[in-house]
Amino acid sequence: MIDISTRKNQTIAVLGFGSSGLMAARALKQSGARILAWDDNLPQRNRAEQAGIATTDLTAQDFSGTDALVLAPGIPFTHRPHTLVEKARAASVSIIGDIELLVEACPQARFVGITGTNGKSTTTALLGHILERAGVKAQIGGNLGPPALGLAPPETGEAMVLELSSYQLDLTEHACFDIALLLNVSPDHLDRHGDMAGYIAAKKRIFRDRQGASRQIAVIGIDDPHCSAIYNDMSNRPGWTAIPVSALHRPAGGVYVEDGILIDDRNGDAMPVRDLNGIVSLTGRHNWQNAAAAYAAACALGVAPAVTAAAFESYPGLPHRLELVATIDGVRYINDSKATNGEAAAQALACFDAIYWIAGGRAKEEGLAPTLDSLDGVRAAYLIGESEEVFFEQLQGRVPATRCGDLASALTHATRQAARDRAQDRTHNAVILLSPAAASFDQWANFEARGDGFRALVLAIQAEATV
């Protein structure tokens, strides 16, 4: 747990007892702050009390004498904010999150921030794996792994690799990053940020300027127009070295992937580094861009290119991200439950040739629109959840679609159709792909639970097939 000595003897309000909010309350209490902690949800308050955190009804507080409000990331902040956020603002109380406290408390560390609409977890985990293989002292956390304030106190020069959501970045006031990665931007979380401008503004907070002699490094994917424009701005920004990364282009002075070969052109010599073809955990063009970004960050942290190249081979991948669950009678079952928006699902669809696609859930604003140019490999779609009618309409005239209601039914339909098709053509490379292009909250607690459910159903099919 992090010691936040900068907040000793301060009065800090904490709102929200999710994992990061509860850890923030515990760390602040241990560090000698006076805590006023609250959650609107009674079970969450009971959970905090069991963890030794006394609760105080913040709705009855006037915030006078309060030094800061620490907000859990999921609580509405910028667009249609929580009433207590408005109350704190009216009292001119600073509103921050756990990332702000971590960076403030650990000036001795090197901070690497990683954000983007898609791919940030894979890039964070991959960079952590590279640093481990290189023997570089590092921890990973934030939006992936332990909450930020649950990390161990870092040694001098230790790398703190943080996956950062737009929600977390929204709650930073002064936090600066030695190395800041922005992978991509596509519409997401617009209910939180109001519109694309608000969402992009939150992402750009990762590039906050630090006053000091050392240069900051920006690693920016340039394969979408939003990030390409941000790279153009950052490449001329004083105090920063901007490195473009791409899986579609050959950016001068950047890192890119061409025909699966990772190329390092930072010194203008277009040096081939590693063939990524055949590395299962890095399947797909989107993962090639993730690999390029992780490589650029690793180089900035002093890791030799050859060490990074070797680490790619042993990277195990993450659950729920193009995870191969099983191969049954020649059909691969792929769990991509983390694809909670259309852009992420489109990336998955581009990876395979004969797809029986399970999609649906709580739709994002753009629905399936980002996937509609990526349907060439889709044999049929099986739709579930709240969005099944909307998705059915969007797919009409494009691919055969079946409204299935829930995941078990969709998997049954997909398995039967794949078996029928393979009986007629044993050569085709069938994939049953859960890549929902929607959030899980209509039927599942989160995307992990949805992916775990898919895995359990697939393993049950496999057990039957082996009897």
Side-chain angles (χ1 to χ4, degrees):
M1 191 181 300
I2 299 296
D3 177 33
I4 315 169
S5 58
T6 51
R7 299 290 173 166
K8 185 176 182 180
N9 298 323
Q10 289 191 5
T11 299
I12 309 292
V14 178
L15 178 60
F17 292 145
S19 58
S20 64
L22 185 56
M23 182 59 71
R26 291 176 57 200
L28 285 161
K29 179 183 176 182
Q30 179 178 285
S31 302
R34 176 172 175 259
I35 302 299
L36 306 173
W38 183 249
D39 192 296
D40 295 332
N41 184 279
L42 177 59
Q44 291 288 73
R45 295 200 298 272
N46 291 338
R47 177 181 174 223
E49 295 278 1
Q50 291 169 5
I53 302 298
T55 58
T56 302
D57 186 355
L58 291 178
T59 63
Q61 298 290 314
D62 62 7
F63 284 96
S64 61
T66 303
D67 293 285
L69 169 62
V70 176
L71 202 64
I75 295 174
F77 176 55
T78 49
H79 182 60
R80 298 174 184 165
H82 191 283
T83 53
L84 289 174
V85 169
E86 294 180 317
K87 192 174 180 180
R89 284 178 177 151
S92 299
V93 171
S94 172
I95 303 172
I96 57 175
D98 60 342
I99 301 299
E100 180 78 12
L101 291 172
L102 173 66
V103 176
E104 173 186 304
C106 304
Q108 74 278 21
R110 294 183 291 176
F111 282 98
V112 181
I114 301 174
T115 197
T117 305
N118 298 304
K120 52 188 178 290
S121 292
T122 293
T123 304
T124 301
L126 178 57
L127 180 56
H129 176 75
I130 292 166
L131 296 177
E132 180 183 28
R133 288 304 176 108
V136 175
K137 187 73 173 175
Q139 298 181 63
I140 65 171
N143 202 47
L144 174 73
L149 295 173
L151 295 168
E155 299 175 5
T156 299
E158 184 171 352
M160 306 293 274
V161 181
L162 305 175
E163 179 189 324
L164 301 172
S165 69
S166 58
Y167 294 8
Q168 290 168 308
L169 286 167
D170 241 355
L171 294 168
T172 60
E173 278 190 340
H174 306 291
C176 299
F177 299 92
D178 299 277
I179 303 169
L181 283 71
L182 175 60
L183 303 171
N184 48 65
V185 171
S186 59
D188 204 7
H189 302 308
L190 302 189
D191 55 340
R192 161 73 175 235
H193 300 289
D195 54 24
M196 275 301 289
Y199 179 52
I200 292 169
K203 291 294 190 186
K204 289 172 68 174
R205 292 170 81 91
I206 200 168
F207 299 121
R208 184 177 287 108
D209 295 335
R210 177 187 58 212
Q211 302 302 314
S214 61
R215 294 182 70 82
Q216 294 166 266
I217 295 173
V219 177
I220 304 174
I222 59 167
D223 291 346
D224 67 84
H226 300 296
C227 284
S228 181
I230 292 169
Y231 167 73
N232 290 336
D233 290 341
M234 291 300 299
S235 63
N236 296 309
R237 190 146 145 192
W240 286 84
T241 297
I243 303 171
V245 298
S246 177
L248 297 175
H249 311 291
R250 300 177 180 176
V255 180
Y256 59 93
V257 181
E258 187 172 53
D259 297 327
I261 308 299
L262 181 69
I263 307 292
D264 183 352
D265 192 51
R266 290 174 303 136
N267 296 320
D269 52 3
M271 178 184 72
V273 176
R274 183 68 164 80
D275 186 351
L276 302 177
N277 289 296
I279 300 178
V280 175
S281 59
L282 295 175
T283 298
R285 195 175 296 276
H286 62 298
N287 275 326
W288 292 351
Q289 189 195 51
N290 296 338
Y295 171 87
C299 288
L301 289 166
V303 179
V307 174
T308 298
F312 286 144
E313 185 69 39
S314 58
Y315 172 60
L318 287 171
H320 315 300
R321 296 155 178 88
L322 292 182
E323 174 194 3
L324 176 61
V325 176
T327 301
I328 306 170
D329 294 332
V331 178
R332 288 178 290 166
Y333 290 77
I334 304 291
N335 168 21
D336 194 42
S337 182
K338 181 62 172 66
T340 58
N341 57 57
E343 188 68 32
Q347 294 170 347
L349 294 174
C351 295
F352 308 105
D353 298 322
I355 304 167
Y356 300 83
W357 178 27
I358 300 173
R362 182 161 294 170
K364 299 294 178 68
E365 185 171 310
E366 78 280 11
L368 289 184
T371 72
L372 298 182
D373 291 331
S374 304
L375 300 177
D376 289 349
V378 177
R379 296 285 181 96
Y382 304 89
L383 306 177
I384 64 175
E386 286 180 5
S387 65
E388 69 174 7
E389 287 295 338
V390 172
F391 283 12
F392 185 83
E393 291 299 322
Q394 286 187 287
L395 292 175
Q396 286 303 290
R398 297 176 183 272
V399 297
T402 303
R403 289 165 285 199
C404 300
D406 60 28
L407 183 56
S409 176
L411 186 58
T412 297
H413 280 82
T415 298
R416 288 173 179 168
Q417 187 61 52
R420 285 193 291 265
D421 289 352
R422 280 185 56 77
Q424 298 175 10
D425 175 11
R426 300 293 298 182
T427 62
H428 86 258
N429 194 16
V431 169
I432 293 177
L433 173 68
L434 171 67
S435 192
S440 59
F441 305 125
D442 56 337
Q443 296 180 329
W444 302 88
N446 47 50
F447 76 83
E448 293 95 340
R450 179 171 60 190
D452 290 342
F454 177 78
R455 188 188 300 111
L457 290 166
V458 171
L459 294 179
I461 294 171
Q462 185 179 49
E464 274 190 29
T466 57
V467 171

